[in-house]
Amino acid sequence: MDISDQNDLSSDDLFEHHRFVASKGQEPLRVDKFLMNFIENATRNKIQQAAKQGHIWVNGAIVKQNYKVKAGDEVKVLFEHPPYEFLLTPENIPLDIVYEDDTLLVVNKPAGMVVHPGHGNYSGTLINALVYHFENLPNNSSNRPGLVHRIDKDTSGLLVIAKTETAMTHLAQQFFEKSSEREYVALVWGNVEQDEGTIEGNIGRHPKNRLQMTVYPDGEDGKEAITHYKVLERLGYVTLVSCKLETGRTHQIRVHMKYIGHTLFNDERYGGDKILKGTTFTKYKQFVENAFKELPRQALHAKTLGFEHPVTGEFMRFDSELPEDMVNCIEKWRSYAKHHES
């Protein structure tokens, strides 16, 4: 079926917004439900409208909303306007700049700020702020200005931004070669038994919930992922840990810590917003709910960032303080643990 049979638009007038390849473990699933699992903040109505307009393609052919997606299918969604993430509007959003020179800058991102525009988040992002404050930032391989790496919306902490093409190439290479240094601090559920350890296990999209990542221990799917952790403080039913990344996969620390039985505290996407450890007492339940209110996001902060300067060759290391919401939450658990020890 040709798209011109559906409406007056040719495929040249359409813009690809999303492209997905169904994983090997994909069981047959209606394409509208499949895309609901894939696209954050998407409404079913919007997806069904795209299907009615002939804007959903599977393996190069237009499909209806009841088409069953199978393993290996390539699914595309097209719309009549360019993806909003490419329509970058400069916005006067203040930046917490830790360091800046002619080549690069290091920013301390607050929790709640999205790094780059995407579906459902077209403004208020770090990149909207960057293109306001800086001209002619170089694009990375995904056409995102200045961005060398990223952290999740609800993770706080340090990011390095490239101001020149040379810096972009040099810094991206360091991240690729694993020579950069990234240390995070996380509060996780449960008492982590070993004082330190290494988690290895390929990370890829979850076969059923496409907004989650998961570990593929047999290595047949996903990409190599290595996290080194160290216990900083034991607080009874939760543990404060340091995590050093050897690789940089999406949600890596969140997924790896869950994999070893220690989901991040208040990580809604991975089930950490439930009481996973502790007692059944009502008072304890109230205490945890108060701790969730104190820290209304996953307990993860990108604390330390190190890399070789692209021009001088000097190794630079930056450190940031834990944000107030994490400090207050940890203090609550510290007090609780002391009270119950005594």
Side-chain angles (χ1 to χ4, degrees):
M1 178 192 284
D2 190 88
I3 195 164
S4 56
D5 295 339
Q6 293 289 310
N7 50 45
D8 295 332
L9 288 167
S10 74
S11 58
D12 292 339
D13 297 319
L14 296 171
F15 297 88
E16 182 181 314
H17 277 234
H18 301 281
R19 175 185 171 277
F20 309 108
V21 176
S23 66
K24 285 185 273 186
Q26 178 66 51
E27 295 169 4
L29 183 67
R30 280 175 59 119
V31 70
D32 53 354
K33 290 184 178 178
F34 175 82
L35 288 168
M36 284 288 289
N37 288 340
F38 247 119
I39 306 173
E40 199 162 2
N41 302 324
T43 63
R44 189 153 187 191
N45 182 53
K46 183 174 180 180
I47 289 169
Q48 289 177 340
Q49 283 302 314
K52 282 178 187 172
Q53 292 164 357
H55 294 176
I56 296 178
W57 301 61
V58 176
N59 303 327
I62 295 170
V63 297
K64 294 183 177 177
Q65 64 198 43
N66 62 356
Y67 173 87
K68 296 279 180 74
V69 175
K70 301 176 292 299
D73 278 352
E74 180 194 63
V75 183
K76 288 183 183 180
V77 185
L78 287 79
F79 292 111
E80 295 159 31
H81 57 84
Y84 289 117
E85 53 262 47
F86 298 128
L87 306 175
L88 287 174
T89 308
E91 294 179 44
N92 187 6
I93 302 165
L95 291 170
D96 180 3
I97 298 174
V98 176
Y99 171 84
E100 182 184 358
D101 62 25
D102 293 340
T103 306
L104 57 86
L105 66 141
V106 175
V107 296
N108 191 16
K109 185 189 84 68
M113 177 185 260
V114 176
V115 171
H116 58 77
H119 190 86
N121 296 293
Y122 303 122
S123 65
T125 75
L126 178 65
I127 285 189
N128 293 110
L130 287 171
V131 294
Y132 177 89
H133 293 287
F134 303 96
E135 291 182 358
N136 303 319
L137 289 172
N139 281 342
N140 66 9
S141 59
S142 303
N143 291 318
R144 286 168 179 149
L147 216 58
V148 179
H149 61 128
R150 62 193 179 93
I151 55 179
D152 299 332
K153 173 188 174 184
D154 289 325
T155 299
S156 51
L158 299 175
L159 286 161
V160 61
I161 307 297
K163 292 170 77 174
T164 67
E165 293 285 355
T166 303
M168 177 66 77
T169 302
H170 199 290
L171 290 165
Q173 190 69 18
Q174 291 183 56
F175 278 79
F176 178 74
E177 292 175 350
K178 308 172 190 172
S179 59
S180 60
E181 184 182 307
R182 284 168 291 169
E183 181 185 5
Y184 291 68
V185 171
L187 186 69
V188 303
W189 278 108
N191 182 24
V192 179
E193 286 184 22
Q194 294 183 320
D195 288 339
E196 54 187 83
T198 296
I199 310 165
E200 295 186 59
N202 282 21
I203 289 177
R205 288 274 167 202
H206 194 289
K208 293 195 173 149
N209 184 345
R210 307 301 298 186
L211 298 180
Q212 283 188 7
M213 308 301 283
T214 192
V215 171
Y216 291 93
D218 57 9
E220 286 183 10
D221 221 325
K223 293 180 180 176
E224 179 194 33
I226 302 169
T227 307
H228 306 284
Y229 70 86
K230 188 176 182 179
V231 170
L232 299 175
E233 191 175 355
R234 299 178 191 281
L235 299 166
Y237 298 126
V238 295
T239 307
L240 192 65
V241 294
S242 154
C243 293
K244 285 191 175 180
L245 292 183
E246 197 170 306
T247 54
R249 306 300 171 211
T250 302
H251 300 174
Q252 180 169 321
I253 292 170
R254 300 164 68 184
V255 174
H256 265 175
M257 293 310 294
K258 178 175 182 174
Y259 177 61
I260 64 165
H262 298 287
T263 304
L264 264 63
F265 185 77
N266 210 9
D267 188 347
E268 180 183 4
R269 184 160 297 186
Y270 291 96
D273 59 337
K274 311 282 190 301
I275 297 175
L276 299 181
K277 298 288 177 184
T279 72
T280 55
F281 297 133
T282 308
K283 273 190 177 176
Y284 174 72
K285 186 183 175 189
Q286 188 59 56
F287 162 78
V288 174
E289 284 173 359
N290 289 339
F292 284 154
K293 284 177 189 167
E294 196 69 64
L295 181 71
R297 62 178 180 102
Q298 70 257 13
L300 187 61
H301 177 69
K303 191 174 192 313
T304 306
L305 180 62
F307 52 84
E308 186 183 283
H309 193 282
V311 175
T312 67
E314 175 194 358
F315 192 83
M316 308 179 80
R317 184 180 285 106
F318 299 93
D319 191 70
S320 60
E321 297 295 320
L322 289 182
E324 189 178 6
D325 58 357
M326 268 188 83
V327 170
N328 291 345
C329 181
I330 291 163
E331 199 49 57
K332 268 186 177 293
W333 278 104
R334 201 172 275 142
S335 301
Y336 183 89
K338 277 182 185 170
H339 175 73
H340 284 268
E341 274 175 17
S342 58

